[in-house]
Amino acid sequence: MISSKLSRAYCFSARMAKLIAAGLVLVLSGCSVNPIYHTTGVVLSGYSESEATPYVLQMTDTQMACALGEGIDPLLYSFSRVVDAPDSTGSLLMLLAGNCMEYRAWDAELDYLRHDYSGNVPAAKDAREVSKRLYAQTATRRYESFRRAMTAYDFDPAAEPMECPFLFTDQDEITFLVGLLTGMQAIVNDANSGAMAGVPRNIAPQAERAAQCIDNEKWGGLPNAVRALVWLLLPDTRPALSPDPWVVLQNSADLGVSAGFRTSHALQVVAAETFGRPDVLADSIADFATSEEGFEVLEDYALLDEVARTVVTFSSDKHWTKSYGHRTPTRFFGKMSPERDTSNIETMSLDGLL
């Protein structure tokens, strides 16, 4: 009898000890991970990827989109402390935040060119320094966007042999592809800053290989445009039998017009500026302006086309500000000088009025 009572008391004590231990685990875990925060993080991450991202890609207001990136990214990414980091959405948000910083750098660069045109040397130097610092911040954000895009799809761009990531939806494909493009932009921005951001150049050949994982025709020639830009940056990465990079960029620009978003066109303009081809720059801006007539934008990716338009317009504005001291007059977009083409203007005979 006594032995039985002792046994029951022992079992009771053991169960109590387990309950107390479990309670301590729950209390301690509750202190470190608030269940409401965890649930909110999961809901926000899911909503951002399934609803917010497609909505933003259809926007045509580039300034509002970039403001959204700067405003939402810190909030959404703060939940990476309690749930898995939302890298796919986070890549696009950081891309938009990078666009904001680039727009400020553009304004500063135009200020520099305007002061330089008017001979105001101190103001030109100051504006030039401001633009370099802003380009450095742009490069930093864009490199982070590239890094998140690679992490989102568990893709190791340096792996040998390369294994393409599993991209299940069109949104996955465009997020991964735009991530590659953003990495290339980060390198160009860093060069404009005087290498203040320290973006590693070895991501260029990695992006060139990764771009081969995406269907070129489907995505408006953008994968090949990324590859051609890398071939210009690093000629050793160009395959032996590949066509001339400038031919590839022209073909990509044409495909972009057919696909309904002219991102490849913008890349052609950036390459022409970066590698000193004023002839290609003039033709590309003229082609973009001509394509406006009858152009049908792909509604699901309207933001990509609008961002491309801002890039081409800025390139035109840079040329006009450097040459004439002001931005491109609207009616002259597509032209590189204020000379009017009067060859096709019908003249009115005044003989009958005299």
Side-chain angles (χ1 to χ4, degrees), residues 23 28 37 39 78 96 109 115 140 149 157 170 172 201 206-207 216 242 252 255 262 282 291 303 323 343 354:
L28 291 174
Y37 295 166
T39 303
S78 69
L96 295 174
E109 187 168 353
H115 291 308
T140 299
D170 285 353
D172 288 335
R201 299 297 193 266
Q206 295 170 0
N216 186 61
S242 63
S252 297
L255 285 173
R262 295 165 288 184
S291 72
L303 183 64
S323 303
S343 59
L354 298 176

Side-chain angles (χ1 to χ4, degrees), residues 44-54 86 88-89 153 169 171-172:
L44 272 180
S45 296
Y47 174 81
S48 298
E49 185 162 352
S50 64
E51 302 297 335
T53 296
S88 58
T89 304
Y153 299 102
T169 66
Q171 186 169 307
D172 288 335

Side-chain angles (χ1 to χ4, degrees), residues 47-62 64-69 72 89 92-93 95-96 99 171 299-304 306-307:
Y47 174 81
S48 298
E49 185 162 352
S50 64
E51 302 297 335
T53 296
Y55 178 82
V56 171
L57 287 173
Q58 291 180 339
M59 292 175 65
T60 55
D61 188 330
T62 56
M64 186 179 289
C66 88
L68 182 142
I72 298 298
T89 304
L92 293 173
L93 286 173
L95 178 157
L96 295 174
N99 288 352
Q171 186 169 307
E299 185 179 352
D300 286 345
Y301 304 108
L303 183 64
L304 298 181
E306 283 299 321
V307 171

